[in-house]
Amino acid sequence: MPLRLFFALIALAGLLHAHNVPSMTIESRFTAAGNFDLTINFDPRAFLAADPRSLPPVDGAWFSDQSPEQAAATLEKAREYLRQSLGLLFNGKPFPMPELTLQPIDGSDNTPLKADTQELHLLAKCTAPVPERATEFQVTFAKSAAIDLILLNALESAAERKPQVLFPGETSRTFVFRSTPPAPVSATPPAPQGSWLSTLALLIAGTTVFIGWRLLNKYRHFHRGHRKPRDRGM
């Protein structure tokens, strides 16, 4: 593990445990069916202040006491922050962020928001098909994000995920989620396997009938030409 990543993980772990430094965690998962999903866990301080570290952790009452209109505006502000801070790349080409669903959670254990939640987090999720012929995935993290990011990429069947830390303005390492792209689907379905055999059988049968008919005609013509004339004197 690179020295920089090692010390960054140690620093993040200690600071997060002390509930001092807001951060973001993204988990990506790629399925055999050709889809991918993202789970994004982040601190609302990321979009509540130009310097998120200047604010103390936000408690659950801050969100639960909001009116429905205020809560909807807060979630939309959170979506806009994610759209501005995160970029998705497939084979180096930008891919639009899919529609995100957001919900408030307890940041200490990632459970639903409770009345006594001391540290509010937001959980964003999305699912979308992988672009056709794509084999590689990356995440870009904008300089304006103002917090640090832990990214974990994995295949559907993978039991472990290797984390990497991104700081604002960085792009993640390339994650290869399949070695070769799937073959393009044919516009016209292939003919059933037995259809050409049936055609061949009909052709052979037709040819046999035709040859038999020709031979029969020759046989009749031959016998008519060699038939003995009747004895008229009898």
Side-chain angles (χ1 to χ4, degrees):
M1 176 184 295
L3 218 57
R4 182 187 181 196
L5 176 58
F6 176 75
F7 286 116
L9 287 175
I10 291 178
L12 279 173
L15 290 170
L16 288 174
H17 181 70
H19 302 292
N20 288 327
V21 179
S23 66
M24 179 187 301
T25 301
I26 299 179
E27 297 181 51
S28 75
R29 186 176 65 106
F30 291 81
T31 70
N35 296 322
F36 77 98
D37 57 63
L38 300 178
T39 301
I40 308 170
N41 185 325
F42 66 109
D43 194 307
R45 288 180 287 171
F47 59 87
L48 291 177
D51 181 8
R53 294 168 179 80
S54 66
L55 297 179
V58 180
D59 62 28
W62 174 82
F63 185 86
S64 57
D65 290 346
Q66 294 182 14
S67 68
E69 293 77 14
Q70 290 172 328
T74 296
L75 295 180
E76 182 54 37
K77 192 173 182 180
R79 285 191 186 89
E80 182 60 25
Y81 168 77
L82 293 178
R83 285 193 289 263
Q84 294 294 328
S85 301
L86 297 174
L88 308 182
L89 300 177
F90 283 93
N91 287 42
K93 297 180 180 179
F95 183 83
M97 179 68 71
E99 184 66 26
L100 294 166
T101 60
L102 272 79
Q103 68 177 98
I105 61 171
D106 191 313
S108 63
D109 55 10
N110 296 334
T111 58
L113 189 65
K114 300 182 285 288
D116 61 348
T117 293
Q118 298 299 307
E119 184 176 352
L120 171 71
H121 277 199
L122 295 174
L123 190 68
K125 292 186 176 183
C126 66
T127 302
V130 170
E132 186 179 358
R133 313 294 288 171
T135 58
E136 300 175 353
F137 174 72
Q138 290 173 282
V139 171
T140 62
F141 201 39
K143 288 184 178 180
S144 60
I147 60 176
D148 299 329
L149 166 65
I150 299 176
L151 174 64
L152 301 99
N153 295 319
L155 301 176
E156 182 179 26
S157 57
E160 297 182 0
R161 300 185 176 199
K162 294 182 178 180
Q164 58 178 302
V165 175
L166 294 181
F167 299 103
E170 294 186 336
T171 298
S172 69
R173 297 189 302 271
T174 298
F175 176 68
V176 179
F177 54 87
R178 59 188 174 198
S179 56
T180 56
V185 179
S186 176
T188 57
Q193 187 175 0
S195 63
W196 70 272
L197 293 174
S198 301
T199 303
L200 180 60
L202 289 174
L203 181 61
I204 293 174
T207 304
T208 303
V209 171
F210 177 76
I211 293 174
W213 176 76
R214 291 292 303 271
L215 290 174
L216 180 61
N217 281 347
K218 287 185 177 181
Y219 176 81
R220 288 175 177 173
H221 183 268
F222 174 83
H223 278 272
R224 278 198 299 266
H226 292 75
R227 189 179 298 169
K228 293 180 180 182
R230 293 183 180 179
D231 190 355
R232 296 182 181 180
M234 293 183 60

